[in-house]
Structure formats: structure tokens, C-alpha cells
Amino acid sequence: MRGGTQQNRDLDAVLALHRKANDTAASAHNIEAIRLLRKALRLIDAKAAPDAAWVAARIRVLISLALATSEVGSTAKGFRGLRRAQAHLEQLPEGRSKQELQAVISGQRALLLFRVGRLAESLALFNAIIPTLEGLQSEDGLLLARTMTNRAQIHAEMGNVDAAARDFDRAIALAAEHGLARIEGKARHGLGDLAQLAGDIPGALHHYEEAARILESAAPGWLARVRLDQARALLVAGLAREAARHLDEALPDLRRNRVIQDLAEAKVARAAAALLEGDYDLARHLAVLARRRFLRRGNKPWAEVAALARLRADATEVLESGATPPPRLPSSLLRVSDRLAELGLRDETAAARLLAVRLLVRRGALDAAAEQLAKVPKPRRTSPVDHKMLLRLCRAELAVAAGRPRSALAQARAGLTELGSARDRMGGLDLLCGTAVHGQELGALAVGRVLAGARGQQGARRLLAWQERTRAQVYRYEPLPAIDDPVLARYLTEMRHVQRTVQQHRLAGKPVAALESRYAWLQREASRLGWYTSRWGRPRPVCSPEEVAQRLGERTLVSLVGHADSLAAVVVRDGRFSLVRLGSLSEVVETARQLHADLHALAPDQLPAALSAAVSASARRRAALLDERLIHPLAGLIGDTELVIVPTGSLHALPWPALPSLRGRPLSVAPSATVWVAAARAGRPEPVVLVGGPGVPGAVGEVRQLRAVYPSARLVDGEAATSETVLSALEGSGVAHLVAHGAHEPGNALFSRLDLVDGPLFAHEAARLSNPPERVVLAACELAMSHIRPGEEALGFAGALLASGSRTVVGAVARVGDSAAAQAMTDLHHSLAAGLSPAVALAEATAVDPLRRPFLCLGAG
Amino acid sequence: MNEGNTFPDDDTLLLELDRFVHELDPPPDDLVERVQFALALEDLDVEVARWDRADALTGVRSVAQGTITFTVSDLTVMINLTETGQRHRIDGWLVPEGQYTVEVRVAGHDSFTTVADDGGRFVLNDVPSGTTQIVVYIGGESCRRTIVTPAVVL
């Protein structure tokens, strides 16, 4: 008897070791797991009596060991280990335990098949064992839930997005039922990957955040992988700093756990983030380290991608600086391009060669540039649109350098048309380096050429036409609204997936012909289903100058043009076009920044009097200076008419009503004349929605007071103000007044947000309203801001609303004091309710105290 | 050696005590750097301004970072920070206003100097991140005053 108890105790010890090893492996600490499992095997060898419980224990240990060794070693070892386990299985009597262990072995074999790319075999195995597991109905549900998660991964890899989502959802349900936090975390991670695949970045980020929250305690070792995928999604969204933060958290863990491939991929992603942030040294450093790791692993394709990332940092830095590139840089790029070509990485080959062409043009080596340009393979359907833009940019730059400006403009026109017809950034982050700016560079090149040669009415008209063509492209980069047709949606989702898989296969050196023909078929079918007529990504039609002039009526349009260091304005009044040169752009921008800082500092309601006086004096002085630079030269042209202002780059946040000669003058500010024309229609005045978010002093009082102005308004505040309720209240409304904190997201305007009781409401979500509010008043924060960094034309929260169809958005371009905002809003709504237009109503409201009421009327007032 | 002797000589005892204190209550990691940073000021005859906590200035509809205000006897320095990539832009106001020299010192970097305009308004562009201190020089050779703000980490 006594011996039997000792035996049991030993078995318990083995099983405990096994459990501990599994937990360790599940947190990606495989080396430690192997140590524990070997120890367990030694215990079994030393003590085992050949009864069924001991055999089963040995099998379990062998299975886990096979998995862990295949993670850190080779999959061949893994398969061998599983065969050993299978051999021991024969010793067991028929029954539940044998059935279950057979399912575990098959499941793990399926997993290894998946790892070596034998997807169809893997899926078939999973399909075979899942009914068995369902039949066994084990108490803890772990095995079934884990197998579901694994099958979901394979479905995802094979592009069966719906099936993958179903399996993940099922796993999450099982996890909830049985309290399996780790499974839930991993399944949510999987759902995030699926959303990213479908281009739903906010959805992906939501799932990743949930997964990270769960895994933080349930399996900390897994967190690093979530952070890596999260960072990739953030990079697609252009949020470089956020991506960098996630990667910086993940890198030490990946290093500690020796997940070399992930570690090196994370470094390439981190280099991409650094490049986007202009930190070239860091980008180079990381790309070099990543390349070394890939080489050590024998992963040549990834090693060359890392090499390209390094040279891209060099090239971008020298192109940005305006210096003459050293001759070795284009040569190195050409060599990498050749090596990438040998590996069959077509898009990367082209990218490397095109960068070399730009450098050669900059060096004045025009013949060499032309020669290399001719060697660049023609883009294919699956080439990312950014690459097509880069090709056009190279041709245009070469044409400019060769003294053929007409040809350069033709390239720019063709490129921008391509950008319009490329309905989506199918490529996304494929090359892990942001090239999204090429469309902008192409536009800037064209505007610069036209501005340089513009004379008289005709020149002004032509310049406006080009500005509209280039400005409208900002909208084409927007994530796309939901698609109603489910079949079409599925095709498009699969297209995104196939495109990404093609890229991955090239990196892995696998054939892609079958996938490419599948892509062509999908594209044909999608077109047949009306892709080109759906709302999805259809380029916003660009208004002609004549159409703009006609729609203006009595108003005057002032469209600013900034190029290099010169600032000019195209003025349209009574059907006539004029070009006025306004001098130095950088001086105006600097003064505008100072004024902005003044208004920012002046905002608090309780600023001490001496400070208030000093800052006000500074603001008045700067506003007068801007008035002199920007408005006085136009005075004869604009008279005292109502204005429509289209700013440029960093002047989007300029508080125009603060300029003395514009005080009390009705004006609208629009991101482009096209947007203004689209917005300038009569709106519906009802229903009115008043929203009060959390944490804004006086918000509740303000929205409640506004009930006096709008007695039938719907009030959404306090605990009721969740993002879902607010979104549904906004849908189809006439006037929406929102008092809530928010934040402008400089990296990607569509992630600017309004803080509600249950978390943020993203501009992205507001932009997906099918029937957005006609007029929106954002009564807090800086949500009317666009961007501060020079040269960028990003939209803000307000811009996203305009892009989705709101006609007018009133918002602040600087901080505002609580009571200053509340008073301005009360004045505004009284005038609006009395039937004044938003531009006129706001002009009256801001004229009372322009420096402390920095509100703008965006869109059409 | 002194096997069994629980009372070593005084020097050893003091050394042990030193080690013990160091282990239990070590100086902050950046103490030396901060002291060096402070000592590196050429003119040690300075007035140190007080940091006015921001809660006196609430009543703003924004969660964004606001301004920082420092005061010493009759002078107020207010600054507003804007991030520009890895660096900062500092917009500043001096009250009472005057064309004073303003220097920003960042540990590990050369200092930047500018002169406020006659309204006391100054701008320092491209300031690196790190332990930062602003120094204002007021008056001519004879009655020159140097005012420093406490070091803040930007």
C-alpha cells in the first residue's frame, strides 16, 4: 500500500512538472519548458511502473517536448518526437484516455504541418479531430478551445476569413465558459490579425488591446507578439510614435525568449517607425542589427529587405536634406536591387532601383538615371500604389532636371489619376517602410512648376486647378466606409489577403503564379459587381475652377499656395481669378505659430491679470503682423465680402477671426475648394442633438442650457453618453453640439478622438456615418485643428466629418477657457436658432473677444 | 581571521555601515548628473524661481499639456511647450516685459540663447529632450540679475 502511495506521489510530481512546462511554453519560454520536460522524463524513466497512468503521462510529456523542441530547433525533430509519442500510445487500452491522447497527437501534428506550410493536410487533420473532441466533452474545455484557435489560424492563413472568425469566436465562447484566459487572449489576438488583413485598422487595434490586457497576466511571454502585430497595424495607420512605443516594449521580451525571427522582424518594423519619425540614425542601426540576425538564421529574403530598409534611411535623409548624395549610395541601392531581383522580390527590387534613380537625378547624372529607370520592371496589379507613385515621381523629377517641365506635369497628372483609380492601398505596409508621401511629393512638384510660371488670370486659374487636383488626394488615402454588398466585400477582403500572401510568399521564396491569377480573377469579378460604382474608395470628383467660381456667388475664395519658401494666394471673385504673391512662407508660418502659442497660453479663465495683459499684447501684435502680410495685399480684391479660405499646410490652424481686418467678417475655412462646393448646399435644421461628455466642467450645464434654445433637442449626457449612443444620435441629425474632451492625432487624423464615458469615439467611426449631422459644433479642445508639422495636409476630427458629408463644423483651433467657450457657444446658438448662417453667427460670436474665442467655421458656413 | 569576534574594528564597522546605508537608501541615479548640471552654471549668484503649480490656472477645455509658470519676487516666466518630433519648441513670455537674454540649458547639450522682444516674448526652437533649465539675465553690467527656473525634465 505504502509503495502505491509513493507511486501516486511521484506521478503527481511528474504531472505537476508537465503542467508547469506547458505554462512556461505557452508564455514562449521554450528553453525553460524543455528543461522541465526532460526532468519529468528522467523521473518517469527512474520510477515508472508500466501502468496506464504512467504511459499516459509519458505520452503527454513526449508531446509537449516535441512541440517545444520544434519551436527552438527544427520541425523535423518535432515530427520525430510525435512519432515516439504515437508508438507509446499502442500500449494503452482502448478508451477515453487513448482517444483523447490520439486527438492531442494529431492536433500537434496538424500544428507542425501548418508550421511547414502544408496547410491543406493540416486543416484536414483538424477537421477530423474536432468532432472527436466535441464528443469527449472534457470538463475543462481546454483541448477543444485550443484546437479551435489553432484551426482558426490555418483558416486565416488560407484566406478563409469567415471560417477563421467563426473558430476564434467559438474559442472565445469556450474560454469564457471554462475560464481559460490565455486561450481568450490568443483568440482575440487572432481576431486582431483578421481585422488587420481586412484593412479594418481600428477594429484590429481594439482586438489587440483586449488581447494585451488579458495576456498581460495570463501569458506575459505572449504579450510581445501582440505588441509586434499591434505596432504593424499602427504603422499602417501612420502612427509611428505609438508603433515605436509598442515595439520598444516588445523587443526586450523577444530578445529574452530567443524568438529570433520575430525579434528581427520587430526590428525592421521599429526601423520603419524611426524612418517615419525622421530618426535616421536609429532606423539605420536597427536595420543593420535585423539584417545580421536574418543572415545568421539563413533567411536571405528578409536579410535583403533589412538591407533595403537601411539604405532607404540613408536615401531619405539625403533627399530630405537637399544635399548632393555620395556616389556610393545609388550604387549600393542598385546592388541590393539586383539581389532582391534574384530572390524574386519584385516590388522591393523596383523600390530600391527607383530610390537609386532619385539619387542619380539629384547628383545630375541624368543619363545614368534614365538608364536605370528603363530597367525598373513595370508595376503590376498587385504592386502597391505607393510604388506606382514613386515611379511617376522618378519620371517627373528626371523630366524637370532635363528641362522638360511639360513632360513632368504630364507624369504628375497621370500619377495623380492612377492614385485616384487605385481604390485602396492594397499594399499597406508590405515593405514595412512608409512611402505614402510619394503622391504628395508628386503634387508638390507639379504645383511648384505651375506656380513658377503662372502669369495673369489664366495662370491663376491653372494654379487653382492643380491645387485642387493635389489637395483632393488627401481624401483618397482615407480608410474606406463599410461596403453593403456582402459578396463584393468578401471579394475585396480576399483581394487584400491574396495581395499580402503574395508578398509573404515572395519573402519565403515560394511560387506566386497561382495566387496572381486568383487575384486577377477576383479583380474582374469585383469590377463586375460594381466595384467602380460603389461608395468604396471612389475618388472625390475634383471641381473645375469655373464650377468653384460659379458656386461662390457673392463670396470670395482665397486659396493659399505654399511652395518652398514662397506663399501666394489665388483669389476668385465675380468669376475672375487673380494670383497675389505674399512673400516668405516661413515667416508667416512662424508668426502664426507664435500667435497660436499666445492663444494657447491665454486660454485659462483664471489667468493672472499681468500675464493676461502681456500675452494679449503679444497676440495682438502678431495678429496685426499676419493681417499685414496676408490680408492687406488682398484688400482690393476681397473688399468686404464673405470669405471662403483654403489654407495650406501649417496654416490650417490659423485663427483668422483674430486678424484685425477680418474681425466680425463671416468666413469659412475648407480643406479644398472641392470640399467647400460639396458642402455648400442648404441643410436641414432638425433634429438637434446635444452631447455632454465626461470630465468637462460645465458641460452638463451648457448642454442643458442649450435646451432653452432648442426645446425639442435630444440630450445625451452623463452615463448615457457612450460612443454607440452618441453615434446613433448623430446619424441623420441636423445640428449636433458636442461638449467633450478630445485629442487631435497628428500622425493620422482619422484616429483623432472624442472622449466619451466608455472610451474614445474615433474620427474614423464618425466618418463612417451614412447620414452624418449637417452642422456640428465641437465645443471643447482642439478638434478643429489639422496639423502642425510643416508640409503635411492631414485632416482633423472636423475634417473627417466634412469628408463624410457634414456641411459645417464649428471648432476651436487652440485651447479655450471653460467660461469663454460656454459664452461663445451660447451666443452662437442663439444666432443660429434665429436663422443666421453658421458663418455669420460665428463671426458675431467670435468678434466679442477674438483672442479668447478661437473658433473657426469649417466647411461651408 | 577574527573568527568568533562579532565586533570588528571601527573602520570595518563604518565601512559596513556605509555599505548598509547605500543598499537601503541609495542616492537617486541622476543625483550626480543633476548636481553637476546645477554647478555648471557659470554665475552661481542666482535667484531661483518657484514653479507655480498649474492648478491655479485651471478652467480650460483641454486635456492637452498646458503652460508652465515660474515666479520669483517681481518676475514671472511662462512657457508653452510644443513637441516637434523628438525635440521641443518653447514659446515664452516674461512679465514685466523686456528685452532680456534667455538661455535654455539641457543636460548633455550645448545651451541655446535668444533675446526676448520688447514685449518679453521669446521662442526657442529645436530644444532637445532632457533635464532642462531656463535662465533669464536681467539688467546691465552693474546691476545684473540672473534668474533660473528649477530643472524640469522635458
mmCIF file of all heavy atoms in Angstrom, chain A residues 633-670:
data_model
loop_
_atom_site.group_PDB
_atom_site.id
_atom_site.type_symbol
_atom_site.label_atom_id
_atom_site.label_comp_id
_atom_site.label_asym_id
_atom_site.label_seq_id
_atom_site.Cartn_x
_atom_site.Cartn_y
_atom_site.Cartn_z
ATOM 1 N N PRO A 633 -2.437 92.749 -48.666
ATOM 2 C CA PRO A 633 -2.182 92.662 -50.119
ATOM 3 C C PRO A 633 -3.423 92.238 -50.911
ATOM 4 O O PRO A 633 -3.470 92.432 -52.124
ATOM 5 C CB PRO A 633 -1.096 91.586 -50.225
ATOM 6 C CG PRO A 633 -0.487 91.497 -48.874
ATOM 7 C CD PRO A 633 -1.567 91.842 -47.912
ATOM 8 N N LEU A 634 -4.408 91.639 -50.223
ATOM 9 C CA LEU A 634 -5.596 91.153 -50.928
ATOM 10 C C LEU A 634 -6.765 92.126 -50.801
ATOM 11 O O LEU A 634 -7.832 91.908 -51.379
ATOM 12 C CB LEU A 634 -6.043 89.803 -50.361
ATOM 13 C CG LEU A 634 -5.002 88.689 -50.215
ATOM 14 C CD1 LEU A 634 -5.625 87.467 -49.565
ATOM 15 C CD2 LEU A 634 -4.423 88.321 -51.581
ATOM 16 N N ALA A 635 -6.563 93.189 -49.997
ATOM 17 C CA ALA A 635 -7.688 94.043 -49.604
ATOM 18 C C ALA A 635 -8.527 94.500 -50.797
ATOM 19 O O ALA A 635 -9.757 94.412 -50.779
ATOM 20 C CB ALA A 635 -7.179 95.250 -48.813
ATOM 21 N N GLY A 636 -7.856 94.949 -51.859
ATOM 22 C CA GLY A 636 -8.589 95.435 -53.017
ATOM 23 C C GLY A 636 -9.419 94.356 -53.695
ATOM 24 O O GLY A 636 -10.479 94.632 -54.264
ATOM 25 N N LEU A 637 -8.939 93.139 -53.629
ATOM 26 C CA LEU A 637 -9.635 92.041 -54.310
ATOM 27 C C LEU A 637 -10.807 91.496 -53.502
ATOM 28 O O LEU A 637 -11.832 91.111 -54.056
ATOM 29 C CB LEU A 637 -8.649 90.894 -54.587
ATOM 30 C CG LEU A 637 -7.590 91.169 -55.649
ATOM 31 C CD1 LEU A 637 -6.489 90.116 -55.596
ATOM 32 C CD2 LEU A 637 -8.229 91.180 -57.034
ATOM 33 N N ILE A 638 -10.650 91.448 -52.184
ATOM 34 C CA ILE A 638 -11.690 90.784 -51.387
ATOM 35 C C ILE A 638 -12.753 91.746 -50.873
ATOM 36 O O ILE A 638 -13.836 91.312 -50.480
ATOM 37 C CB ILE A 638 -11.093 89.986 -50.197
ATOM 38 C CG1 ILE A 638 -10.380 90.905 -49.199
ATOM 39 C CG2 ILE A 638 -10.136 88.913 -50.693
ATOM 40 C CD1 ILE A 638 -9.874 90.169 -47.970
ATOM 41 N N GLY A 639 -12.470 93.047 -50.899
ATOM 42 C CA GLY A 639 -13.458 94.014 -50.416
ATOM 43 C C GLY A 639 -13.946 93.648 -49.041
ATOM 44 O O GLY A 639 -13.142 93.270 -48.184
ATOM 45 N N ASP A 640 -15.271 93.739 -48.827
ATOM 46 C CA ASP A 640 -15.778 93.291 -47.531
ATOM 47 C C ASP A 640 -16.739 92.111 -47.689
ATOM 48 O O ASP A 640 -17.696 91.956 -46.940
ATOM 49 C CB ASP A 640 -16.439 94.461 -46.768
ATOM 50 C CG ASP A 640 -17.544 95.086 -47.593
ATOM 51 O OD1 ASP A 640 -17.813 94.581 -48.708
ATOM 52 O OD2 ASP A 640 -18.152 96.074 -47.125
ATOM 53 N N THR A 641 -16.454 91.288 -48.683
ATOM 54 C CA THR A 641 -17.326 90.137 -48.938
ATOM 55 C C THR A 641 -17.095 89.024 -47.932
ATOM 56 O O THR A 641 -16.081 88.989 -47.231
ATOM 57 C CB THR A 641 -17.031 89.544 -50.335
ATOM 58 O OG1 THR A 641 -15.641 89.241 -50.402
ATOM 59 C CG2 THR A 641 -17.404 90.502 -51.444
ATOM 60 N N GLU A 642 -18.070 88.090 -47.909
ATOM 61 C CA GLU A 642 -17.887 86.872 -47.101
ATOM 62 C C GLU A 642 -16.783 86.039 -47.760
ATOM 63 O O GLU A 642 -16.699 85.967 -48.978
ATOM 64 C CB GLU A 642 -19.195 86.083 -47.063
ATOM 65 C CG GLU A 642 -19.088 84.817 -46.248
ATOM 66 C CD GLU A 642 -20.446 84.103 -46.073
ATOM 67 O OE1 GLU A 642 -21.495 84.771 -46.157
ATOM 68 O OE2 GLU A 642 -20.427 82.881 -45.864
ATOM 69 N N LEU A 643 -15.934 85.419 -46.921
ATOM 70 C CA LEU A 643 -14.780 84.708 -47.473
ATOM 71 C C LEU A 643 -14.895 83.190 -47.344
ATOM 72 O O LEU A 643 -15.494 82.676 -46.394
ATOM 73 C CB LEU A 643 -13.496 85.139 -46.741
ATOM 74 C CG LEU A 643 -13.083 86.605 -46.833
ATOM 75 C CD1 LEU A 643 -11.784 86.810 -46.047
ATOM 76 C CD2 LEU A 643 -12.905 87.044 -48.284
ATOM 77 N N VAL A 644 -14.303 82.529 -48.324
ATOM 78 C CA VAL A 644 -14.044 81.096 -48.212
ATOM 79 C C VAL A 644 -12.524 80.962 -48.292
ATOM 80 O O VAL A 644 -11.921 81.352 -49.288
ATOM 81 C CB VAL A 644 -14.695 80.303 -49.364
ATOM 82 C CG1 VAL A 644 -14.329 78.823 -49.249
ATOM 83 C CG2 VAL A 644 -16.199 80.491 -49.362
ATOM 84 N N ILE A 645 -11.903 80.464 -47.219
ATOM 85 C CA ILE A 645 -10.442 80.392 -47.189
ATOM 86 C C ILE A 645 -10.003 78.938 -47.281
ATOM 87 O O ILE A 645 -10.476 78.090 -46.522
ATOM 88 C CB ILE A 645 -9.882 81.033 -45.898
ATOM 89 C CG1 ILE A 645 -10.302 82.507 -45.827
ATOM 90 C CG2 ILE A 645 -8.361 80.904 -45.847
ATOM 91 C CD1 ILE A 645 -9.911 83.197 -44.538
ATOM 92 N N VAL A 646 -9.111 78.651 -48.216
ATOM 93 C CA VAL A 646 -8.495 77.322 -48.282
ATOM 94 C C VAL A 646 -7.033 77.506 -47.883
ATOM 95 O O VAL A 646 -6.243 78.034 -48.653
ATOM 96 C CB VAL A 646 -8.602 76.713 -49.692
ATOM 97 C CG1 VAL A 646 -7.957 75.326 -49.711
ATOM 98 C CG2 VAL A 646 -10.055 76.622 -50.130
ATOM 99 N N PRO A 647 -6.675 77.119 -46.660
ATOM 100 C CA PRO A 647 -5.298 77.359 -46.189
ATOM 101 C C PRO A 647 -4.333 76.346 -46.799
ATOM 102 O O PRO A 647 -4.730 75.523 -47.617
ATOM 103 C CB PRO A 647 -5.399 77.157 -44.681
ATOM 104 C CG PRO A 647 -6.818 76.857 -44.386
ATOM 105 C CD PRO A 647 -7.476 76.443 -45.660
ATOM 106 N N THR A 648 -3.116 76.423 -46.377
ATOM 107 C CA THR A 648 -2.132 75.455 -46.846
ATOM 108 C C THR A 648 -1.373 74.915 -45.645
ATOM 109 O O THR A 648 -1.160 75.630 -44.665
ATOM 110 C CB THR A 648 -1.155 76.119 -47.840
ATOM 111 O OG1 THR A 648 -0.244 75.150 -48.288
ATOM 112 C CG2 THR A 648 -0.394 77.271 -47.201
ATOM 113 N N GLY A 649 -1.002 73.664 -45.701
ATOM 114 C CA GLY A 649 -0.161 73.020 -44.688
ATOM 115 C C GLY A 649 -0.375 73.541 -43.286
ATOM 116 O O GLY A 649 -1.456 73.411 -42.709
ATOM 117 N N SER A 650 0.652 74.159 -42.738
ATOM 118 C CA SER A 650 0.617 74.523 -41.326
ATOM 119 C C SER A 650 -0.261 75.734 -41.040
ATOM 120 O O SER A 650 -0.400 76.122 -39.890
ATOM 121 C CB SER A 650 2.042 74.761 -40.828
ATOM 122 O OG SER A 650 2.813 75.309 -41.856
ATOM 123 N N LEU A 651 -0.857 76.355 -42.054
ATOM 124 C CA LEU A 651 -1.744 77.488 -41.776
ATOM 125 C C LEU A 651 -3.194 77.046 -41.569
ATOM 126 O O LEU A 651 -4.083 77.869 -41.404
ATOM 127 C CB LEU A 651 -1.669 78.519 -42.916
ATOM 128 C CG LEU A 651 -0.286 79.161 -43.077
ATOM 129 C CD1 LEU A 651 -0.291 80.174 -44.212
ATOM 130 C CD2 LEU A 651 0.160 79.844 -41.784
ATOM 131 N N HIS A 652 -3.410 75.715 -41.539
ATOM 132 C CA HIS A 652 -4.768 75.228 -41.293
ATOM 133 C C HIS A 652 -5.289 75.650 -39.932
ATOM 134 O O HIS A 652 -6.484 75.808 -39.739
ATOM 135 C CB HIS A 652 -4.818 73.701 -41.410
ATOM 136 C CG HIS A 652 -5.032 73.239 -42.812
ATOM 137 N ND1 HIS A 652 -6.262 73.273 -43.423
ATOM 138 C CD2 HIS A 652 -4.175 72.746 -43.735
ATOM 139 C CE1 HIS A 652 -6.153 72.818 -44.662
ATOM 140 N NE2 HIS A 652 -4.896 72.499 -44.873
ATOM 141 N N ALA A 653 -4.379 75.804 -38.966
ATOM 142 C CA ALA A 653 -4.812 76.132 -37.609
ATOM 143 C C ALA A 653 -4.815 77.637 -37.353
ATOM 144 O O ALA A 653 -4.935 78.080 -36.220
ATOM 145 C CB ALA A 653 -3.922 75.426 -36.593
ATOM 146 N N LEU A 654 -4.678 78.436 -38.379
ATOM 147 C CA LEU A 654 -4.612 79.888 -38.164
ATOM 148 C C LEU A 654 -5.974 80.421 -37.716
ATOM 149 O O LEU A 654 -6.979 80.166 -38.366
ATOM 150 C CB LEU A 654 -4.190 80.594 -39.461
ATOM 151 C CG LEU A 654 -3.805 82.051 -39.231
ATOM 152 C CD1 LEU A 654 -2.310 82.183 -39.105
ATOM 153 C CD2 LEU A 654 -4.303 82.932 -40.349
ATOM 154 N N PRO A 655 -6.018 81.168 -36.601
ATOM 155 C CA PRO A 655 -7.292 81.727 -36.130
ATOM 156 C C PRO A 655 -7.629 83.003 -36.899
ATOM 157 O O PRO A 655 -7.396 84.114 -36.407
ATOM 158 C CB PRO A 655 -7.022 81.993 -34.640
ATOM 159 C CG PRO A 655 -5.542 82.163 -34.543
ATOM 160 C CD PRO A 655 -4.908 81.422 -35.672
ATOM 161 N N TRP A 656 -8.157 82.860 -38.102
ATOM 162 C CA TRP A 656 -8.413 84.006 -38.978
ATOM 163 C C TRP A 656 -9.215 85.123 -38.328
ATOM 164 O O TRP A 656 -8.892 86.303 -38.517
ATOM 165 C CB TRP A 656 -9.109 83.539 -40.271
ATOM 166 C CG TRP A 656 -8.279 82.588 -41.072
ATOM 167 C CD1 TRP A 656 -8.306 81.234 -40.986
ATOM 168 C CD2 TRP A 656 -7.279 82.912 -42.043
ATOM 169 N NE1 TRP A 656 -7.385 80.687 -41.853
ATOM 170 C CE2 TRP A 656 -6.746 81.689 -42.524
ATOM 171 C CE3 TRP A 656 -6.787 84.113 -42.562
ATOM 172 C CZ2 TRP A 656 -5.751 81.621 -43.487
ATOM 173 C CZ3 TRP A 656 -5.803 84.044 -43.534
ATOM 174 C CH2 TRP A 656 -5.284 82.807 -43.986
ATOM 175 N N PRO A 657 -10.285 84.802 -37.548
ATOM 176 C CA PRO A 657 -11.084 85.897 -36.982
ATOM 177 C C PRO A 657 -10.284 86.795 -36.027
ATOM 178 O O PRO A 657 -10.747 87.883 -35.673
ATOM 179 C CB PRO A 657 -12.207 85.177 -36.223
ATOM 180 C CG PRO A 657 -12.269 83.826 -36.848
ATOM 181 C CD PRO A 657 -10.863 83.499 -37.241
ATOM 182 N N ALA A 658 -9.072 86.337 -35.626
ATOM 183 C CA ALA A 658 -8.263 87.171 -34.733
ATOM 184 C C ALA A 658 -7.522 88.267 -35.501
ATOM 185 O O ALA A 658 -7.004 89.216 -34.902
ATOM 186 C CB ALA A 658 -7.260 86.304 -33.967
ATOM 187 N N LEU A 659 -7.435 88.159 -36.836
ATOM 188 C CA LEU A 659 -6.759 89.197 -37.612
ATOM 189 C C LEU A 659 -7.668 90.432 -37.665
ATOM 190 O O LEU A 659 -8.848 90.318 -38.005
ATOM 191 C CB LEU A 659 -6.444 88.713 -39.029
ATOM 192 C CG LEU A 659 -5.720 87.366 -39.161
ATOM 193 C CD1 LEU A 659 -5.157 87.204 -40.573
ATOM 194 C CD2 LEU A 659 -4.599 87.208 -38.145
ATOM 195 N N PRO A 660 -7.123 91.619 -37.328
ATOM 196 C CA PRO A 660 -7.982 92.794 -37.143
ATOM 197 C C PRO A 660 -8.931 93.068 -38.308
ATOM 198 O O PRO A 660 -10.112 93.340 -38.085
ATOM 199 C CB PRO A 660 -6.973 93.942 -36.985
ATOM 200 C CG PRO A 660 -5.725 93.295 -36.510
ATOM 201 C CD PRO A 660 -5.716 91.902 -37.045
ATOM 202 N N SER A 661 -8.449 92.945 -39.571
ATOM 203 C CA SER A 661 -9.367 93.323 -40.644
ATOM 204 C C SER A 661 -10.397 92.246 -40.955
ATOM 205 O O SER A 661 -11.273 92.456 -41.779
ATOM 206 C CB SER A 661 -8.594 93.756 -41.902
ATOM 207 O OG SER A 661 -7.663 92.783 -42.262
ATOM 208 N N LEU A 662 -10.299 91.107 -40.289
ATOM 209 C CA LEU A 662 -11.321 90.072 -40.501
ATOM 210 C C LEU A 662 -12.273 89.960 -39.315
ATOM 211 O O LEU A 662 -13.179 89.130 -39.316
ATOM 212 C CB LEU A 662 -10.659 88.717 -40.765
ATOM 213 C CG LEU A 662 -9.793 88.602 -42.024
ATOM 214 C CD1 LEU A 662 -9.278 87.175 -42.200
ATOM 215 C CD2 LEU A 662 -10.562 89.036 -43.264
ATOM 216 N N ARG A 663 -12.054 90.786 -38.289
ATOM 217 C CA ARG A 663 -12.888 90.701 -37.095
ATOM 218 C C ARG A 663 -14.349 90.933 -37.469
ATOM 219 O O ARG A 663 -14.700 91.930 -38.095
ATOM 220 C CB ARG A 663 -12.440 91.743 -36.072
ATOM 221 C CG ARG A 663 -13.182 91.643 -34.747
ATOM 222 C CD ARG A 663 -12.509 92.501 -33.707
ATOM 223 N NE ARG A 663 -13.160 92.382 -32.408
ATOM 224 C CZ ARG A 663 -12.637 92.824 -31.276
ATOM 225 N NH1 ARG A 663 -11.448 93.409 -31.299
ATOM 226 N NH2 ARG A 663 -13.293 92.689 -30.156
ATOM 227 N N GLY A 664 -15.199 89.987 -37.099
ATOM 228 C CA GLY A 664 -16.627 90.115 -37.371
ATOM 229 C C GLY A 664 -17.019 89.807 -38.808
ATOM 230 O O GLY A 664 -18.182 89.929 -39.165
ATOM 231 N N ARG A 665 -16.055 89.403 -39.645
ATOM 232 C CA ARG A 665 -16.426 89.099 -41.032
ATOM 233 C C ARG A 665 -16.765 87.608 -41.173
ATOM 234 O O ARG A 665 -16.011 86.762 -40.720
ATOM 235 C CB ARG A 665 -15.258 89.439 -41.980
ATOM 236 C CG ARG A 665 -15.678 89.191 -43.432
ATOM 237 C CD ARG A 665 -14.538 89.178 -44.410
ATOM 238 N NE ARG A 665 -13.724 90.385 -44.440
ATOM 239 C CZ ARG A 665 -13.429 91.062 -45.555
ATOM 240 N NH1 ARG A 665 -13.938 90.679 -46.706
ATOM 241 N NH2 ARG A 665 -12.643 92.095 -45.502
ATOM 242 N N PRO A 666 -17.910 87.303 -41.801
ATOM 243 C CA PRO A 666 -18.252 85.895 -41.968
ATOM 244 C C PRO A 666 -17.227 85.201 -42.860
ATOM 245 O O PRO A 666 -16.879 85.735 -43.931
ATOM 246 C CB PRO A 666 -19.618 85.916 -42.665
ATOM 247 C CG PRO A 666 -20.095 87.315 -42.588
ATOM 248 C CD PRO A 666 -18.919 88.204 -42.371
ATOM 249 N N LEU A 667 -16.734 84.056 -42.409
ATOM 250 C CA LEU A 667 -15.797 83.301 -43.252
ATOM 251 C C LEU A 667 -15.872 81.813 -42.949
ATOM 252 O O LEU A 667 -16.217 81.397 -41.846
ATOM 253 C CB LEU A 667 -14.365 83.824 -43.096
ATOM 254 C CG LEU A 667 -13.679 83.824 -41.741
ATOM 255 C CD1 LEU A 667 -12.985 82.494 -41.484
ATOM 256 C CD2 LEU A 667 -12.637 84.941 -41.688
ATOM 257 N N SER A 668 -15.578 81.032 -43.967
ATOM 258 C CA SER A 668 -15.493 79.573 -43.813
ATOM 259 C C SER A 668 -14.091 79.150 -44.203
ATOM 260 O O SER A 668 -13.496 79.730 -45.096
ATOM 261 C CB SER A 668 -16.457 78.853 -44.755
ATOM 262 O OG SER A 668 -17.729 79.392 -44.677
ATOM 263 N N VAL A 669 -13.608 78.122 -43.525
ATOM 264 C CA VAL A 669 -12.299 77.572 -43.867
ATOM 265 C C VAL A 669 -12.522 76.138 -44.345
ATOM 266 O O VAL A 669 -13.196 75.359 -43.677
ATOM 267 C CB VAL A 669 -11.363 77.592 -42.637
ATOM 268 C CG1 VAL A 669 -10.048 76.898 -42.957
ATOM 269 C CG2 VAL A 669 -11.115 79.021 -42.194
ATOM 270 N N ALA A 670 -12.003 75.812 -45.518
ATOM 271 C CA ALA A 670 -12.223 74.471 -46.071
ATOM 272 C C ALA A 670 -10.893 73.862 -46.503
ATOM 273 O O ALA A 670 -9.990 74.580 -46.907
ATOM 274 C CB ALA A 670 -13.168 74.551 -47.263
#
